[in-house]
Amino acid sequence: MTVSDASSAGKPTSAGLRHRVAGYLEALARALRRSGRDEGKVLVLGGVRSGKSRHAERLVARHPHLVYVAPGLPAGEDDPDWAARVAAHQARRPANWKTVETTDLAGILRTATEPLLIDCLGTWLSRVLDDVGAWRQKPGWEHRLDDRLEDFLAAWAAARVPVVAVSNEVGSGVVPATSSGRLFRDVLGALNNRVSADADRVVLVVAGRALDL
């Protein structure tokens, strides 16, 4: 080893410096996402009664104006349990939030001018599966389903306002006993993967505790 080699041995190379800087920037980005200052698109996952909706509501609480997108079935007298769940969600919403009940998530994402909270993708998918005839195995339902999902995913990728989407985490439970249950689990699991891949932040909520993924 020459003298010049020895003197430069302890100095970081330009490639090493770039690697360190990239690491610092990524750590800073993670810290900003955790603090909520770098919001972008956020996916909040969790099981039933995990606290995922409450956590999502806290993430968007500081916005003076927000559109709450409810893509599930409206409350009805034929299902008092569902009606009670819907009422509980409605009671938590601040007066300055606007509620939109629709399954056209792609349209909402493309035209939004204010922050969005979508709660949740699981109830939306259930309605979409019904719309395309998946439960009844109507001919062509797979293609119709693919079109709906791809339309939503394209709109999600192109969203220009802060969006928090809530979804059910379906990968931790037992294999459903029915074919319809397995279909729902498989499609929602694949959808969560696609949404997560194009999200700025993904949070898993378990027993009310949030974990950044």
Side-chain angles (χ1 to χ4, degrees):
M1 177 183 289
T2 66
V3 174
S4 60
D5 290 335
S7 63
S8 62
K11 297 180 181 179
T13 64
S14 59
L17 283 173
R18 288 196 299 270
H19 181 74
R20 288 185 183 182
V21 170
Y24 293 148
L25 291 175
E26 176 58 27
L28 177 61
R30 286 197 299 269
L32 288 173
R33 288 195 292 269
R34 283 195 296 270
S35 68
R37 290 190 293 270
D38 180 20
E39 201 169 55
K41 292 173 290 187
V42 182
L43 174 62
V44 178
L45 297 167
V48 175
R49 301 297 189 185
S50 63
K52 60 185 183 296
S53 292
R54 286 185 180 274
H55 182 75
E57 290 163 7
R58 286 196 291 270
L59 290 178
V60 298
R62 70 183 178 280
H63 291 296
H65 300 286
L66 178 127
V67 177
Y68 182 100
V69 185
L73 289 169
E77 295 181 357
D78 56 329
D79 191 342
D81 177 67
W82 178 250
R85 288 170 183 254
V86 171
H89 276 255
Q90 291 173 339
R92 293 204 305 263
R93 298 172 202 164
N96 58 318
W97 287 10
K98 176 184 177 183
T99 299
V100 175
E101 296 183 356
T102 181
T103 59
D104 185 16
L105 297 188
I108 287 287
L109 285 165
R110 290 191 175 103
T111 60
T113 58
E114 296 178 327
L116 301 175
L117 171 56
I118 302 172
D119 194 1
C120 74
L121 297 183
T123 54
W124 173 73
L125 178 62
S126 182
R127 293 188 70 181
V128 169
L129 288 168
D130 188 52
D131 289 345
V132 302
W135 305 133
R136 301 177 297 282
Q137 298 289 294
K138 294 179 66 174
W141 70 265
E142 296 99 331
H143 297 297
R144 291 190 292 273
L145 176 62
D146 285 345
D147 288 344
R148 292 285 295 273
L149 296 181
E150 291 300 328
D151 190 33
F152 162 70
L153 289 166
W156 170 262
R160 292 296 178 265
V161 297
V163 186
V164 176
V166 180
S167 190
N168 302 95
E169 170 51 47
V170 291
S172 301
V174 298
V175 177
T178 63
S179 59
S180 58
R182 291 189 293 272
L183 171 64
F184 176 80
R185 179 206 58 180
D186 292 346
V187 175
L188 184 57
L191 177 64
N192 287 343
N193 271 272
R194 296 281 301 277
V195 173
S196 172
D198 216 335
D200 299 294
R201 182 184 178 194
V202 181
V203 181
L204 176 64
V205 181
V206 180
R209 298 295 186 94
L211 174 68
D212 276 271
L213 301 180

